[in-house]
Amino acid sequence: MTELPARRLMLVHAHPDDESINNGATMARYAAEGAHVTLVTCTLGERGEVIPDELRHLSGAALGGHRLGELRDAMRALGVTDFRLLGGAGRYCDSGMMGLPDNEDPGCFWQADVDQAAATLAEVILEVRPQVLVTYDENGGYGHPDHIQTHRVAMRAVELAAASGWDIPKVYWNRVPRSVVEESFARLDGDLAGLPFDKAGAVDDVPGVVDDERITTVIDGTAYASAKAAAMRAHATQIAVAEPYFVLSNELAQPLFTTEYYELVRGERPGVRESDLFAGVGAGGAS
């Protein structure tokens, strides 16, 4: 068996671009430090709303294929070489926003059997044997069906992998402390006139906002700010960037965070905030 790298981080996301927005600085930091970083993306985001006029002809499978290319470019910017689509390209399609008829498509991720999808993800876990896994909370950060399903599948896969011999020591959910978001939007209000964006978003537009005491781990990715911004720019169908801000298809400006925040939900919660996702774990793990 090939010797595994000493530190192994897995991230499980719903669509291409989620990884760069939520964890781009973290991924770039750990990849640069020599950790093995694995990204598993559950859909190709075939129902995403396209921002640039010149790309708005893309939809369905054509958009999914284009977004896969964007994902490749983003991973190149972050220095990540191990990125996969759950079950292979096209196995699960984008479910659209909550409450739309798209949610009823039998091929969409929202309709997937959780145990079957989790078993597929568990195979990747057993191959990579990460000591750390990052995904969303039970609401998927902001209530998108694919994000909620990603949470369900990821957490179930952790259980299945543990039953098959690899018990991941630490599982984190993506978070942002409320105080940081509020301060960032206050700065945005003062900066908006100098930006190519017309309107600012609000705190509720940021996924995963929680009270500050929920934050267990803070990853300073300042040194990798340019890598994160480049990765976000690579997802040009979905994101327009004007550092240190960006917009999605709703055209509402929001902060681009280069310090990223997490809540430890599996593993021993630290008495003080961690500055390293791997704090307290060695090269092995629990098997």
Side-chain angles (χ1 to χ4, degrees), residues 8 14 46 77 85 87 100 142 148 177 200 204 208 221-222 246 254 276 279 285-286:
R8 304 175 299 279
E46 298 92 339
L85 295 167
L100 295 179
Y142 72 109
I148 294 171
D204 289 345
T222 306
F246 71 99
Q254 59 179 289
D276 180 7

Side-chain angles (χ1 to χ4, degrees), residues 1-259:
M1 179 177 176
T2 303
E3 184 176 352
L4 295 168
R7 296 190 298 170
R8 304 175 299 279
L9 167 65
M10 178 177 289
L11 306 100
V12 187
H13 276 289
H15 315 106
D17 82 352
D18 293 323
E19 80 297 323
S20 297
I21 296 170
N22 285 279
N23 313 114
T26 299
M27 295 172 72
R29 170 183 156 174
Y30 282 111
E33 291 178 356
H36 186 91
V37 179
T38 301
L39 170 68
V40 180
T41 305
C42 296
T43 83
L44 284 171
E46 298 92 339
R47 292 188 167 105
E49 296 178 353
V50 177
I51 294 176
D53 289 339
E54 65 273 18
L55 296 176
R56 286 184 180 167
H57 65 282
L58 295 171
S59 63
L63 176 57
H66 187 89
R67 292 189 69 178
L68 178 57
E70 292 180 337
L71 181 62
R72 292 191 183 101
D73 291 342
M75 293 302 96
R76 189 176 302 112
L78 297 179
V80 173
T81 58
D82 184 8
F83 55 97
R84 312 165 187 222
L85 295 167
L86 184 64
R91 175 63 183 87
Y92 300 108
C93 72
D94 190 339
S95 306
M97 298 301 290
M98 187 68 82
L100 295 179
D102 299 332
N103 304 163
E104 305 305 317
D105 182 342
C108 79
F109 192 47
W110 185 240
Q111 294 295 328
D113 181 277
V114 170
D115 278 347
Q116 289 180 359
T120 302
L121 179 57
E123 292 176 2
V124 183
I125 292 173
L126 292 169
E127 173 195 341
V128 174
R129 299 195 168 202
Q131 298 111 331
V132 177
L133 184 142
V134 173
T135 192
Y136 316 110
D137 65 14
E138 64 274 9
N139 190 46
Y142 72 109
H144 191 293
D146 288 332
H147 286 241
I148 294 171
Q149 189 78 322
T150 297
H151 162 84
R152 294 171 178 169
V153 168
M155 298 306 289
R156 179 60 176 143
V158 169
E159 295 175 349
L160 294 175
S164 296
W166 187 255
D167 193 1
I168 300 176
K170 303 181 81 174
V171 175
Y172 292 92
W173 292 344
N174 291 302
R175 295 298 196 193
V176 191
R178 189 172 302 279
S179 66
V180 170
V181 180
E182 290 173 347
E183 291 166 6
S184 298
F185 273 105
R187 286 194 297 272
L188 171 56
D189 287 341
D191 293 343
L192 189 60
L195 296 174
F197 311 132
D198 295 327
K199 296 180 180 179
V203 170
D204 289 345
D205 294 317
V206 178
V209 176
V210 293
D211 293 339
D212 289 33
E213 57 266 23
R214 297 280 297 272
I215 304 300
T216 61
T217 312
V218 180
I219 301 301
D220 182 357
T222 306
Y224 304 96
S226 60
K228 175 168 181 170
M232 290 175 64
R233 284 193 178 94
H235 292 289
T237 60
Q238 308 299 303
I239 308 172
V241 177
E243 294 175 73
Y245 304 105
F246 71 99
V247 297
L248 301 172
S249 61
N250 61 12
E251 299 183 348
L252 298 175
Q254 59 179 289
L256 190 163
F257 296 110
T258 55
T259 295

